[in-house]
């Protein structure tokens, strides 16, 4: 197709927009403009391609209202915001952005773990509030990482990138995954497979969520898992908010049933549970794990290239980042 009409739901790196403009007729929405089904349904009949955010609800209703749509390219690796099954049935292709954000997310998981175990947020707030009156032998003591067990739920690319980094900090790595990793990768990572999330939660000093959000992983971390975790343990979540029952987590943090949590994602983004906001032992960030200049440009380019390849008639099997339902 010549000059396809492409909707980019909100501003992304300019290099990516310019690249797509050489290929089609591009419209860029405003921040949050297309975060509702209604807004999308209103305009999508006028577009051949959609480059959307993880906050864009590409539901059955939305897809059915878009007779010209050929491809939805998500500006994210997680694509739980898209009804892929309906898209596949309607012959609309769906692309995500694997690989390009792995290292940024691995770095970030490590940083969030450090910030949480060493009380960065609480200590910085204390300093900014003018309470720092000098070095204290018992001030802001945290958990050391060497020799502790990091339990990773979801040992895909990002889980493995985190494991590599944690290993360098002297941590022992255990994991649970839908399918066990090949022996060679387990040996390289020096990690142990644990057959259930419950057992992993019981054995881990740090439990990290790196799995996609699916119907199986929704509320995977619930009251029972939180009760199973040791009292000194920390929960890290950079996957998707609904993998955790936030209400149960807030209770566990307030009641000191676990020692803390580091969260980059929330159940009802951009809302944050008020009981989490008031939990003293919780480090929270606004979904920024992949937020580096390099990575966000690479994410955009990978999404844009999928759109261009689809309109250039490249066969599906040669577009490595297409997903199907
Ligand atoms: C970010 O959360 C992503 O899925 O890319």
């Amino acid at each position: 197709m010549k000059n396809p009409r492409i909707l980019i739901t909100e501003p992304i790196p300019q290099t990516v927009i310019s690249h797509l403009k050489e290929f089609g007729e591009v419209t860029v929405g405003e921040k949050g403009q297309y975060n509702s089904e209604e807004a999308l349904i209103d305009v999508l009949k006028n577009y051949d391609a959609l480059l959307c955010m993880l906050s864009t609800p590409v539901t059955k209703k939305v897809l059915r209202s878009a007779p010209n749509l050929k491809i939805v390219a998500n500006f994210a690796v997680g694509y739980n915001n898209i009804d892929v099954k309906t898209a596949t049935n309607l012959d609309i292709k769906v692309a995500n952005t694997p690989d390009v954000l792995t290292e940024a997310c691995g770095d970030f998981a490590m940083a969030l773990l450090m910030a949480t175990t060493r009380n960065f947020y609480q200590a910085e707030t204390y300093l900014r509030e003018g309470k720092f009156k000098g070095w204290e032998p018992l001030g802001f003591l945290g958990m050391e990482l060497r020799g502790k067990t990091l339990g990773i739920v979801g040992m895909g690319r990002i889980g493995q990138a985190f494991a590599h980094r944690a290993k360098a900090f002297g941590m022992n790595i255990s994991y649970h995954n839908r399918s066990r990793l090949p022996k060679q990768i387990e040996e390289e990572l020096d990690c142990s497979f644990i057959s259930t999330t419950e057992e992993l939660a019981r054995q881990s000093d740090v439990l990290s969520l790196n799995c996609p959000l699916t119907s199986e992983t929704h509320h995977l971390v619930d009251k029972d898992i939180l009760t199973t975790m040791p009292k000194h343990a920390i929960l890290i979540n950079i996957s998707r908010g609904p993998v955790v029952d936030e209400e149960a987590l807030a209770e566990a943090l307030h009641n000191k049933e676990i020692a803390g949590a580091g969260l980059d994602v929330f159940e009802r983004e951009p809302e944050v549970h008020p009981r989490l906001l008031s939990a003293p032992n919780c480090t929270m960030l606004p979904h920024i794990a992949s937020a580096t200049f390099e990575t966000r440009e690479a994410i955009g380019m990978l999404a844009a290239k999928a759109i261009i390849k689809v309109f250039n008639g490249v066969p599906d099997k040669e577009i490595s980042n297409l997903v199907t339902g």
Side-chain angles (χ1 to χ4, degrees), residues 4-25:
R5 297 158 300 173
I6 304 163
L7 175 63
I8 305 177
T9 55
E10 59 184 272
I12 59 172
Q14 191 53 48
T15 40
V16 181
I17 298 176
S18 305
H19 189 62
L20 276 173
K21 278 189 171 164
E22 281 172 25
F23 178 76
E25 200 183 294

Side-chain angles (χ1 to χ4, degrees), residues 121-197:
Y121 167 70
Q122 296 87 334
E124 204 213 12
T125 306
Y126 175 87
L127 180 141
R128 284 180 190 271
E129 288 174 350
K131 294 179 180 157
F132 179 39
K133 302 289 181 238
W135 186 85
E136 292 172 60
L138 297 177
F140 298 104
L141 303 187
M143 181 173 82
E144 198 142 327
L145 299 182
R146 182 161 301 276
K148 301 295 189 310
T149 297
L150 169 63
I152 298 181
V153 181
M155 198 59 139
R157 303 173 189 85
I158 296 172
Q160 290 179 36
F162 189 17
H164 273 296
R165 286 155 176 82
K167 199 82 218 156
F169 279 74
M171 298 190 83
N172 305 313
I173 314 295
S174 297
Y175 77 97
H176 175 70
N177 205 39
R178 250 178 328 184
S179 41
R180 190 168 176 169
L181 295 177
K183 214 172 171 48
Q184 187 205 337
I185 300 185
E186 276 190 358
E187 277 169 15
E188 264 169 43
L189 289 169
D190 189 16
C191 62
S192 324
F193 177 71
I194 307 291
S195 61
T196 65
T197 308

Side-chain angles (χ1 to χ4, degrees), residues 235-310:
L235 178 73
I236 298 292
N237 189 10
I238 68 162
S239 64
R240 285 291 182 267
V243 176
V244 176
D245 177 347
E246 250 175 28
E247 181 80 32
L249 175 61
E251 274 319 296
L253 289 170
H254 279 278
N255 298 336
K256 306 256 185 313
E257 284 160 28
I258 62 168
L263 309 174
D264 185 46
V265 289
F266 302 90
E267 215 178 329
R268 281 170 281 276
E269 288 178 22
E271 265 176 58
V272 179
H273 195 296
R275 296 267 293 153
L276 281 181
L277 286 172
S278 62
N281 42 358
C282 191
T283 302
M284 290 178 284
L285 294 166
H287 205 151
I288 56 168
S290 70
T292 67
F293 291 111
E294 296 88 344
T295 289
R296 289 287 164 86
E297 185 170 289
I299 289 175
M301 280 301 181
L302 190 57
K305 287 200 164 117
I307 293 176
I308 293 171
K309 284 180 187 166
V310 164

